Amino acid sequence: MSRSVLFTLLLASAVPAWGCSDGDGWLDAACRRVDQVWQQGQGEVYLPGYAYHLRSAYRPEKIDSFNEQAWGFGLGRGLVDDDGDWHGLYAMAFLDSHNDLEPIAGYAYQSRHHFSENWQAGLGFTAFLTSRSDTLHYFPVPGVLPLASVQYKRLALMGTYIPGGKGNGNVVFLFARYGF
């Protein structure tokens, strides 16, 4: 296992062990929420699956060189709060655009609309640490991305958009989440 994968997984598991204060600041509230998700959340499995590179942002030969089958695996804990919104802690790894392993660990939040007892749609964000072979040679870097989902019972299809310029980024990343 590479040092960056180990670092990311250790960081994800260490966050809930930090003590949270009873202060009124946003950082104190965030710490308490992370601790609550870790302590009271249910187990979740993450299955990364597809990374669509916007065709208008890349030359056709570059698109042909990319891996868009972003297979991987992850575990996490998720909690639905009193408002019906979802909070999650996760760590997963998947094959990136260059077929290299990309680990990621973070926190996610979604405000959810309940269409029925079984169907929900969510919009929110994820804040995370990741590392890539082509970005600082696997040095962990933080990020924040939008997060959307459609969920039926315990199974959610989730997606995010990685912005970029001409020849970088501009990727729609899709994955599944299952709560158990």
Side-chain angles (χ1 to χ4, degrees):
M1 181 179 298
S2 76
R3 286 181 290 167
S4 62
V5 172
L6 186 59
F7 172 80
T8 304
L9 292 176
L10 286 173
L11 182 63
S13 64
V15 168
W18 296 342
C20 299
S21 77
D22 292 330
D24 292 330
W26 69 269
L27 196 55
D28 298 320
C31 183
R32 288 190 299 273
R33 177 64 79 181
V34 166
D35 186 59
Q36 180 188 24
V37 173
W38 186 256
Q39 299 296 329
Q40 299 172 15
Q42 70 177 9
E44 297 179 327
V45 172
Y46 291 79
L47 297 173
Y50 191 66
Y52 177 81
H53 298 76
L54 273 82
R55 298 325 196 230
S56 61
Y58 295 94
R59 297 182 325 275
E61 57 273 8
K62 191 67 174 172
I63 292 287
D64 292 342
S65 75
F66 285 148
N67 169 49
E68 290 189 317
Q69 305 302 314
W71 301 119
F73 183 78
L75 294 172
R77 296 190 63 80
L79 176 78
V80 176
D81 67 19
D82 294 337
D83 295 328
D85 298 333
W86 174 79
H87 303 262
L89 296 172
Y90 64 90
M92 66 178 150
F94 57 90
L95 295 177
D96 71 8
S97 303
H98 308 291
N99 264 327
D100 293 329
L101 187 66
E102 180 173 346
I104 183 170
Y107 167 81
Y109 165 80
Q110 286 192 316
S111 176
R112 298 189 314 167
H113 176 75
H114 298 261
F115 295 106
S116 71
E117 181 181 337
N118 294 324
W119 285 96
Q120 298 97 38
L123 287 175
F125 70 92
T126 179
F128 58 89
L129 275 178
T130 191
S131 60
R132 294 175 51 96
S133 63
D134 62 340
T135 306
L136 301 173
H137 304 289
Y138 278 117
F139 186 82
V141 294
V144 176
L145 292 172
L147 191 61
S149 71
V150 174
Q151 182 170 333
Y152 178 73
K153 293 186 178 182
R154 295 181 182 191
L155 179 64
L157 175 60
M158 304 186 78
T160 188
Y161 176 71
I162 298 111
K166 192 73 170 163
N168 61 60
N170 293 300
V171 176
V172 175
F173 181 71
L174 301 174
F175 59 98
R177 174 179 54 84
Y178 181 78
F180 56 90

